[in-house]
Amino acid sequence: MANQEDNLFKNVISHAKEYGFIFPSSEIYDGLSAVYDYGQNGVELKNNIKEYWWKFMTLLHENIVGIDAAIFMHPTTWKASGHVDAFNDPMIDNKDSKKRYRADQLIEGVIEKLEEKIEKEVEKAAKRFENFDRTMFLTTNARVVEYQKKIDEINERMKGALGRGDMADLKQLIVDLEIADPISGTKNWTEVRQFNLMFSTEMGSVADDANKIYLRPETAQGIFVNFLNVQKTGRMKIPFGIAQIGKAFRNEIVARQFIFRMREFEQMEMQFFVKPGEEMQWYEFWKAKRLKWHQTLGLGTENYRYHDHLNLAHYANAACDIQFNFPMGFRELEGIHSRTDFDLKSHEKFSGKKLQYFDSEDNQNFVPYVVETSVGLDRMFLSVLASAYKEEKLEDGSDRVVLKIPAPLAPNKVAILPLMKKDGLPEKAMEIMNLLKFDFRCFYEEKDAIGKRYRRQDALGTPYCVTVDHQTLQDNTVTIRDRDTMKQQRVAMDAVRSIIQESVSMAELLKKI
Ligand code: ATP
């Protein structure tokens, strides 16, 4: 990460703490690694992101319903899903720095560097030639072809080693690629070991193996095991989807980068059940829909890109990520996977119960195929927070820090500020608050100079400030200040609702998707 971006990220993190968005967990005991708490403003922003997702799924699609499954599930669930045997990450330690890494991520780092080299060549050539043909260039330029060949070779070897569970070969690949630890700079590596990411605990009072249960590492399985319950009781017809928002837990090997990679986090997942053979068309459908959902927030379309998976998970026949341009670069924000009938079939096998759909048109039973969309709520939060955070230099030479959070997601929509704490201004301000509080989350503040209060609301991302002054007492007008433009206008007290309504409305945002 370049220094400037590094600093910006640090500033975002300290801003999040200073303004009650995110605190390190159990901070008075020096925190718990990769676990965070959401503060009074963070929880509002998080809830608004949830609402944006939940309403998109369940209001805008009449064939999608939601559930809320338990975190604890029968332990066989995780046998069937493959997590007990295969939810492993290969880890490796550098003996000098004593730092731990994911072996596959070290190797992917080499691939990323080669990809960057290709992009540089493309950029150079695009500047030189007028009718530049990217596809042609990628297949004919000798240097680029050589880089690509190297990428394919590395990928092939990594995929093979991971597929066979051959950790010695993975280590050899790290040695052959001459990968050095970014901290110590040495190539003094341990062997690569597999590490299962699931947290386990015991249920009941007898701590033997039979009672071992897991904290779910993904919410999806709660949907699969309820597939027939929902289909039958909801009389759902294929294609249909089940959505869920909930906690997931992973004992991540490398858990850095703030809330990007946590050990306890939240997922927003939707499993869409389709007829076998139709999964690819639905996969493309959801890929496009989900990108549109993200882009509609207005954080900049250039900040999103697809990343197709070359190494498919054991259950998938197609998969891609939607990546976001986080402060540390483009990283996965959401995964879209065509999961075939792997999960339902596997649960049929392990439970001995049929998990099939009866198609009355064809008079046939079948196990549906599934297309999954899975986005991390905390990563969504980070994408919103990091791109909303702006350090601005104003015309008068002063600085301001403002969170330009999309208005419908902002923790508070409007701050009501009596200019002074006397002359009946607070009472008048309360009157306005009582007018607005049923429609919008309002914030009331009467302490400090008005300029200071504006700055504080900017830092919290409040889209509007309504100021009550002596003129208000005479003619029932107030000033309303816009967070982004800082422009103020004098309007009738009764007009405030209609002025802010459209821009802060979740419904209006949803209509744009
Ligand atoms: P990664 O490759 O970054 O570990 P993943 O491919 O394992 O992620 P999925 O299993 O596809 O992730 O989970 C779906 C989504 O859940 C991810 O796109 C991400 O937004 C979120 N997610 C996964 N792991 C974490 C984590 N440790 N902390 C926060 N969010 C996470």
Side-chain angles (χ1 to χ4, degrees):
M1 197 169 14
N3 252 350
Q4 209 179 346
E5 288 155 0
D6 210 359
N7 282 341
L8 184 74
F9 196 22
K10 280 192 188 132
N11 293 351
V12 170
I13 296 170
S14 55
H15 189 89
K17 183 168 171 221
E18 190 180 341
Y19 286 92
F21 285 88
I22 297 170
F23 307 123
S25 156
S26 29
E27 197 190 5
I28 56 167
Y29 297 104
D30 294 335
L32 184 66
S33 166
V35 186
Y36 291 90
D37 297 339
Y38 286 81
Q40 69 280 14
N41 292 308
V43 70
E44 296 296 338
L45 172 55
K46 196 179 185 194
N47 282 343
N48 292 338
I49 296 173
K50 280 190 205 174
E51 187 188 345
Y52 180 48
W53 186 88
W54 189 258
K55 287 194 166 161
F56 165 74
M57 286 296 175
T58 63
L59 287 188
L60 303 195
H61 302 93
E62 70 288 349
N63 56 352
I64 298 181
V65 291
I67 62 164
D68 183 18
I71 287 171
F72 291 145
M73 299 182 73
H74 192 284
T76 310
T77 310
W78 306 109
K79 252 331 238 178
S81 68
H83 283 81
V84 171
D85 297 320
F87 195 51
N88 300 320
D89 276 343
M91 67 176 178
I92 189 166
D93 293 355
N94 183 274
K95 292 183 194 162
D96 299 316
S97 70
K98 309 268 183 281
K99 285 277 170 205
R100 179 160 288 172
Y101 297 91
R102 260 173 64 179
D104 55 333
Q105 285 179 348
L106 286 178
I107 297 165
E108 275 162 9
V110 176
I111 294 175
E112 264 174 36
K113 285 213 180 89
L114 287 165
E115 282 171 345
E116 277 166 21
K117 283 187 179 168
I118 293 179
E119 279 313 310
K120 279 217 178 92
E121 294 294 332
V122 169
E123 268 172 38
K124 263 199 287 178
K127 274 191 200 138
R128 244 184 302 136
F129 304 112
E130 222 171 71
N131 294 324
F132 178 69
D133 182 336
R134 185 185 163 95
T135 318
M136 174 85 97
F137 181 78
L138 290 178
T139 48
T140 54
N141 179 279
R143 202 174 293 163
V144 166
V145 169
E146 194 52 39
Y147 290 147
Q148 191 56 51
K149 197 166 145 229
K150 184 96 185 132
I151 291 175
D152 294 343
E153 277 169 15
I154 299 173
N155 254 323
E156 184 88 355
R157 234 180 112 185
M158 181 169 72
K159 197 172 160 185
L162 286 172
R164 293 190 308 276
D166 186 345
M167 295 301 109
D169 196 28
L170 211 58
K171 161 83 188 283
Q172 194 53 46
L173 184 55
I174 288 173
V175 172
D176 294 348
L177 292 171
E178 299 183 359
I179 298 175
D181 175 12
I183 292 171
S184 67
T186 69
K187 296 170 195 153
N188 194 7
W189 298 109
T190 61
E191 295 310 309
V192 177
R193 282 164 297 158
Q194 288 279 33
F195 178 75
N196 193 289
L197 301 184
M198 279 199 295
F199 284 100
S200 63
T201 185
E202 286 104 31
M203 184 168 255
S205 53
V206 188
D208 63 20
D209 222 20
N211 291 324
K212 180 170 168 179
I213 56 163
Y214 298 97
L215 299 189
R216 66 181 177 197
E218 62 175 26
T219 56
Q221 298 305 323
I223 295 180
F224 291 127
V225 298
N226 277 302
F227 156 71
L228 265 193
N229 283 341
V230 174
Q231 191 272 321
K232 291 228 159 86
T233 57
R235 298 154 60 94
M236 308 300 290
K237 282 211 157 33
I238 267 177
F240 74 91
I242 304 178
Q244 176 170 221
I245 301 176
K247 290 265 184 176
F249 304 82
R250 295 182 188 178
N251 199 0
E252 298 279 2
I253 295 173
V254 184
R256 296 184 198 122
Q257 295 171 334
F258 195 36
I259 57 169
F260 181 82
R261 191 172 298 287
M262 300 156 89
R263 296 207 162 98
E264 173 180 342
F265 58 101
E266 251 177 294
Q267 291 185 313
M268 305 190 284
E269 296 200 300
M270 193 278 297
Q271 312 292 326
F272 200 69
F273 299 89
V274 306
K275 232 177 175 169
E278 292 182 359
E279 71 276 12
M280 279 309 159
Q281 129 200 4
W282 285 111
Y283 171 70
E284 293 302 333
F285 173 87
W286 282 109
K287 239 175 113 167
K289 272 253 166 167
R290 293 301 304 144
L291 184 64
K292 188 82 199 302
W293 180 88
H294 286 287
Q295 290 178 338
T296 303
L297 274 181
L299 306 180
T301 50
E302 71 286 359
N303 285 324
Y304 300 89
R305 69 180 188 198
Y306 289 124
H307 173 75
D308 292 315
H309 285 206
L310 296 169
N311 305 324
L312 292 174
H314 58 280
Y315 51 74
N317 67 358
C320 85
D321 299 335
I322 294 176
Q323 294 186 333
F324 183 77
N325 193 7
F326 286 99
M328 58 282 186
F330 275 96
R331 295 280 187 285
E332 172 175 347
L333 172 62
E334 169 154 4
I336 295 149
H337 309 126
S338 172
R339 289 181 82 125
T340 68
D341 55 1
F342 172 83
D343 301 88
L344 290 179
K345 274 228 168 107
S346 191
H347 285 305
E348 277 198 328
K349 193 172 125 210
F350 278 82
S351 67
K353 311 265 165 41
K354 284 218 170 316
L355 290 173
Q356 302 192 354
Y357 175 80
F358 177 69
D359 189 340
S360 51
E361 274 168 30
D362 296 357
N363 218 13
Q364 246 187 2
N365 280 309
F366 62 82
V367 178
Y369 269 46
V370 173
V371 175
E372 160 185 86
T373 74
S374 173
V375 57
L377 176 53
D378 313 87
R379 284 194 196 174
M380 263 312 288
F381 189 106
L382 183 58
S383 73
V384 173
L385 190 70
S387 48
Y389 179 88
K390 306 273 180 240
E391 293 170 1
E392 291 182 345
K393 205 142 225 51
L394 303 182
E395 276 172 14
D396 65 4
S398 64
D399 299 309
R400 81 158 178 165
V401 171
V402 52
L403 288 185
K404 293 188 171 171
I405 299 174
L409 301 187
N412 296 301
K413 307 304 185 219
V414 54
I416 316 279
L417 313 171
L419 191 61
M420 289 175 190
K421 212 173 146 185
K422 57 180 185 185
D423 301 339
L425 296 183
E427 290 74 12
K428 192 71 183 170
M430 270 304 180
E431 203 183 297
I432 298 176
M433 177 117 174
N434 287 334
L435 269 180
L436 298 177
K437 73 180 179 195
F438 296 101
D439 294 322
F440 315 110
R441 218 188 131 75
C442 303
F443 185 90
Y444 178 85
E445 196 174 41
E446 53 186 28
K447 202 171 156 276
D448 289 333
I450 192 73
K452 210 165 174 191
R453 279 184 271 167
Y454 285 154
R455 285 290 190 281
R456 194 152 51 232
Q457 292 309 315
D458 287 345
L460 291 171
T462 310
Y464 296 100
C465 289
V466 166
T467 307
V468 176
D469 55 19
H470 289 94
Q471 194 180 327
T472 314
L473 301 178
Q474 288 159 16
D475 64 4
N476 277 336
T477 61
V478 290
T479 56
I480 179 163
R481 174 185 181 271
D482 181 293
R483 174 194 70 195
D484 298 344
T485 62
M486 294 187 290
K487 292 243 161 65
Q488 298 184 30
Q489 50 172 325
R490 188 133 209 130
V491 301
M493 216 168 98
D494 294 343
V496 172
R497 178 190 282 111
S498 61
I499 292 171
I500 66 178
Q501 171 64 41
E502 195 168 320
S503 71
V504 306
S505 150
M506 186 66 78
E508 292 304 318
L509 182 65
L510 287 163
K511 280 183 204 163
K512 291 187 200 145
I513 300 175

